[in-house]
C-alpha cells in the first residue's frame, strides 16, 4: 500500500470523506482531503551527530526513491542557506534535520548516492543542499514533470490536490525558518511537504509515460543533476529593482556604491539586504545625487526611523561615487555576448527579425500541440541565437547541431528542428 493509500485509509487525518483517484479513474468522492497530520506524527528535529548517524543508517537501509525538501529564510537572512531539511523514504519514514546544528550532511548525501531524489522545483533547493554536502546523482523534479505533462498549475499544493486528491496547508511557506526553536505548526507543515512527494512522483511518471514524454523528462532531470554550480553573477548590483530609471553613469556609480555598502552590512549582520536598505531607496538616491545627509534624509527610504550614523554611512557611499574620475564610472550596459534585444532586430537585421517572428510562431504552435510551456520545449534564448546567426548552410543536420551546441537536450533537438527549418530558410515577404 502506498503512502497516499494508507493516508486515505486513516480517517483521523482528514475532515471530509473520500479518497484520491485510483489508476482506473475518478473516485466516488470529488472533495479533496485536507492532510492535517503526517501519518507517523511530527518527527523530532535532528540536531546532534548521534541522532544524525541514526537517520543516515535508517535512510541508507530504506528502499525506493527519497523525497527531499529544504526550507530557507529568504527575505529574512543573508544568502540562501538551508535552515531545515526534510526527507522521507520507504522503510525509513520521515526526518527533519537542522542543518545549522548539523552543518555537514555529506554523510547523508553519500548514504543516498545512486538513489533517486524526488524534489519539487529542484533548481531552487539544490544550491542550498549542495552547500551542506547533499548532491544527488539522480533526481525526479515533480514541478518540471508537471510542466512537461501540461498541468496548468504546478505548485506543490496544486499538484498534490490535482493528482492525488489531498489538500496541503501552505500557510508557512514564507516564514523565517532561521527561527529557533521552530514552532510545531511549522514542523508539521515541513513534514507534510515530503509526506506524499514520492506518490506524486509515481503518478506523474505514469502520466508522462502515457503521453510519451517520460524519456524527455528523464533527459531534463539528468541535465539538472549533472549541471555544475552556477558561476557568481557579474555586477549583481545591476539587478537592483528599478535600475531601468538610472541612465547616467554617475548615477549608476551611486547604485553600485550603495549596493556594495548594503551588501557588506547585510553579510555582517546575516540579514536580508532588503531589510537593510530597499532597492527603491538606492535608486532614489542615485537619481537625486544628494549633497549631504540632510538632503539624503528627505528622500523616500531614508526617513525619520533611520539614525544619523546610518544616514552618514549611506551618504559616504554616495560621496564616493560622486568623487570617482570619469574613467572609473560603470559603463551603461554589460557587454553583450549574444544577440541584441529583439526590439532592435528590425533595424539592425530585418531578415533575422523575420526569421525570429516565424520561429517564435512555429515554436508556440508546437508547444501548444505538445501541451507544455514554450520555455520548456526550447529556451527563448536558444531560438534567438539560432535566428540571429543561423548555420552557414541551413539543413536538418546543421540546425540540430546548432541547437545541441546551445545546450538543447536530444528530445528538444528532435522536436524543434523540423519546425525551425522553414523559419530559417524562408525569405521575408516584400
Amino acid at each position: 500500500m502506498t503512502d497516499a493509500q494508507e493516508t486515505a485509509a486513516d480517517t483521523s487525518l482528514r475532515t471530509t470523506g473520500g479518497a484520491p483517484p485510483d489508476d482506473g479513474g475518478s473516485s466516488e468522492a470529488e472533495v479533496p482531503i485536507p492532510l492535517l497530520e503526517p501519518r507517523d506524527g511530527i518527527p523530532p528535529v535532528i540536531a546532534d551527530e548521534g541522532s544524525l548517524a541514526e537517520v543516515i543508517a535508517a535512510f541508507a537501509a530504506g528502499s525506493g526513491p527519497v523525497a527531499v525538501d529544504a526550507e530557507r529564510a529568504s527575505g529574512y537572512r543573508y544568502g540562501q542557506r538551508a535552515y531545515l531539511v526534510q526527507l522521507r523514504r520507504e522503510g525509513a519514514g520521515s526526518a527533519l534535520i537542522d542543518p545549522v546544528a548539523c552543518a555537514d550532511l555529506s554523510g547523508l548525501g553519500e548514504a543516498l548516492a545512486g538513489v533517486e531524489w524526488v524534489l519539487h522545483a529542484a533548481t531552487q533547493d539544490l544550491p542550498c543542499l549542495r552547500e551542506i554536502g547533499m548532491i544527488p546523482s539522480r533526481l525526479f523534479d515533480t514541478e518540471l514533470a508537471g510542466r512537461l505533462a501540461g498541468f496548468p498549475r504546478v505548485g506543490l499544493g496544486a499538484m498534490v490536490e490535482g493528482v492525488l486528491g489531498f489538500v496541503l496547508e501552505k500557510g508557512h511557506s514564507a516564514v523565517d525558518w532561521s527561527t529557533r526553536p521552530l514552532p510545531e505548526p511549522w514542523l508539521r507543515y515541513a513534514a507534510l511537504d515530503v509526506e506524499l512527494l514520492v506518490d506524486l512522483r509515481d503518478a506523474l511518471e505514469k502520466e508522462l509515460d502515457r503521453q510519451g514524454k517520460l524519456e524527455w523528462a528523464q533527459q531534463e532531470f539528468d541535465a539538472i543533476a549533472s549541471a555544475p554550480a552556477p558561476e557568481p553573477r557579474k555586477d549583481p548590483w545591476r539587478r537592483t529593482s528599478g535600475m531601468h530609471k538610472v541612465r547616467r553613469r554617475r548615477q549608476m556609480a551611486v547604485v553600485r556604491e550603495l549596493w556594495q555598502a548594503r551588501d557588506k552590512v547585510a553579510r555582517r549582520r546575516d540579514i536580508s539586504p532588503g531589510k537593510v536598505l530597499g532597492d527603491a531607496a538606492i535608486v532614489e538616491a542615485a537619481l537625486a545625487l544628494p549633497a549631504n545627509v540632510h538632503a539624503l534624509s528627505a528622500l523616500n527610504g531614508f526617513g525619520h526611523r533611520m539614525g544619523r550614523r546610518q544616514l552618514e554611512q549611506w551618504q559616504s557611499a554616495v560621496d564616493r561615487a560622486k568623487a570617482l574620475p570619469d574613467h572609473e564610472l560603470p559603463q551603461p550596459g554589460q557587454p553583450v555576448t549574444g544577440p541584441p534585444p529583439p526590439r532592435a532586430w528590425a533595424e539592425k537585421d530585418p531578415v533575422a527579425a523575420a526569421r525570429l517572428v516565424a520561429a517564435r510562431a512555429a515554436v508556440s504552435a508546437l508547444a501548444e500541440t505538445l501541451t507544455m510551456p514554450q520555455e520548456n520545449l526550447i529556451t527563448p534564448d536558444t531560438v534567438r541565437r539560432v535566428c540571429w546567426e543561423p548555420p552557414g548552410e541551413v539543413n536538418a543536420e546543421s540546425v540540430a547541431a546548432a541547437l545541441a551546441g546551445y545546450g538543447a537536450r536530444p528530445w528538444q533537438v528532435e522536436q524543434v528542428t523540423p519546425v525551425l527549418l522553414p523559419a530559417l530558410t524562408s525569405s521575408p515577404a516584400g
Side-chain angles (χ1 to χ4, degrees):
M1 185 178 284
T2 68
D3 281 1
Q5 290 167 336
E6 288 189 21
T7 305
D10 187 348
T11 57
S12 67
L13 301 189
R14 60 181 191 262
T15 58
T16 59
D22 59 26
D23 294 339
S26 61
S27 63
E28 291 182 7
E30 296 180 359
V31 179
I33 306 167
L35 197 59
L36 304 178
E37 290 285 342
R39 184 159 28 91
D40 304 321
I42 303 172
V45 178
I46 304 302
D48 64 83
E49 294 303 320
S51 300
L52 177 60
E54 294 178 5
V55 165
I56 291 174
F59 275 78
S63 61
V66 57
V68 182
D69 191 20
E71 305 295 347
R72 300 177 297 281
S74 303
Y76 297 94
R77 295 290 183 174
Y78 184 88
Q80 293 294 317
R81 68 171 296 181
Y83 283 95
L84 188 69
V85 175
Q86 308 102 278
L87 305 99
R88 183 173 182 84
R89 192 181 189 195
E90 185 71 31
S94 296
L96 302 177
I97 303 175
D98 180 355
V100 178
C102 302
D104 181 7
L105 298 186
S106 57
L108 178 59
E110 291 167 5
L112 297 173
V115 175
E116 182 186 83
W117 296 22
V118 184
L119 301 102
H120 192 81
T123 54
Q124 294 183 21
D125 286 341
L126 288 179
C128 69
L129 291 171
R130 186 181 286 113
E131 287 181 359
I132 53 179
M134 295 184 66
I135 306 172
S137 57
R138 298 168 51 213
L139 64 84
F140 189 107
D141 186 334
T142 50
E143 184 199 50
L144 181 52
R147 291 180 181 276
L148 295 175
F151 284 83
R153 297 166 60 221
V154 293
L156 180 58
M159 293 290 288
V160 167
E161 181 175 343
V163 176
L164 299 178
F166 290 99
V167 178
L168 289 178
E169 194 276 309
K170 299 298 290 183
H172 303 300
S173 59
V175 298
D176 180 3
W177 287 95
S178 67
T179 300
R180 292 296 183 273
L182 286 165
E184 182 176 294
W186 299 11
L187 296 175
R188 180 182 296 107
Y189 158 88
L192 288 173
D193 261 6
V194 292
E195 179 84 3
L196 298 181
L197 205 51
V198 172
D199 287 273
L200 180 60
R201 171 239 180 269
D202 292 345
L204 289 172
E205 181 181 60
K206 290 180 180 178
E207 179 60 22
L208 288 167
D209 189 36
R210 186 187 70 79
Q211 295 184 22
K213 299 176 180 176
L214 185 56
E215 173 59 28
W216 302 359
Q218 198 56 61
Q219 290 180 28
E220 294 298 306
F221 303 155
D222 290 345
I224 294 173
S226 62
E231 294 289 329
R233 191 182 299 277
K234 185 180 180 181
D235 292 345
W237 58 270
R238 292 183 183 271
R239 293 180 61 82
T240 302
S241 180
M243 190 70 192
H244 62 282
K245 302 175 185 176
V246 182
R247 305 288 187 181
R248 291 156 48 193
R249 293 175 64 198
R250 185 73 56 186
Q251 294 172 330
M252 296 174 73
V254 172
V255 173
R256 181 176 64 185
E257 291 294 333
L258 282 171
W259 190 98
Q260 292 174 347
R262 178 183 70 174
D263 193 65
K264 289 178 181 177
V265 173
R267 185 187 295 271
R268 185 179 72 249
R269 294 172 56 191
D270 188 19
I271 189 173
S272 170
K275 289 187 175 296
V276 176
L277 185 67
D279 280 9
I282 290 178
V283 171
E284 188 88 4
L287 296 176
L289 296 173
N292 50 47
V293 167
H294 178 73
L296 180 68
S297 66
L299 301 177
N300 289 332
F302 299 92
H304 64 280
R305 292 186 178 181
M306 190 170 287
R308 176 80 183 187
R309 185 176 176 183
Q310 288 178 294
L311 287 169
E312 289 175 347
Q313 173 182 247
W314 304 131
Q315 184 62 42
S316 294
V318 173
D319 292 341
R320 286 195 300 272
K322 291 166 69 175
L324 287 174
D326 288 350
H327 70 274
E328 292 185 16
L329 297 177
Q331 294 301 317
Q334 294 173 290
V336 177
T337 56
R343 63 179 178 273
W345 284 31
E347 181 179 343
K348 290 179 178 291
D349 189 339
V351 175
R355 284 195 294 261
L356 183 61
V357 169
R360 282 174 163 174
V363 169
S364 176
L366 178 58
E368 188 172 344
T369 300
L370 295 174
T371 323
M372 69 172 63
Q374 295 180 45
E375 62 269 21
N376 292 115
L377 174 58
I378 191 75
T379 67
D381 181 67
T382 297
V383 175
R384 286 194 295 268
R385 289 175 182 270
V386 172
C387 289
W388 182 252
E389 193 173 354
E393 182 178 345
V394 176
N395 53 47
E397 291 74 20
S398 64
V399 172
L403 292 173
Y406 291 127
R409 262 69 73 190
W411 77 269
Q412 294 175 314
V413 173
E414 180 182 358
Q415 293 296 317
V416 173
T417 297
V419 301
L420 278 188
L421 268 176
L424 296 176
T425 54
S426 61
S427 300

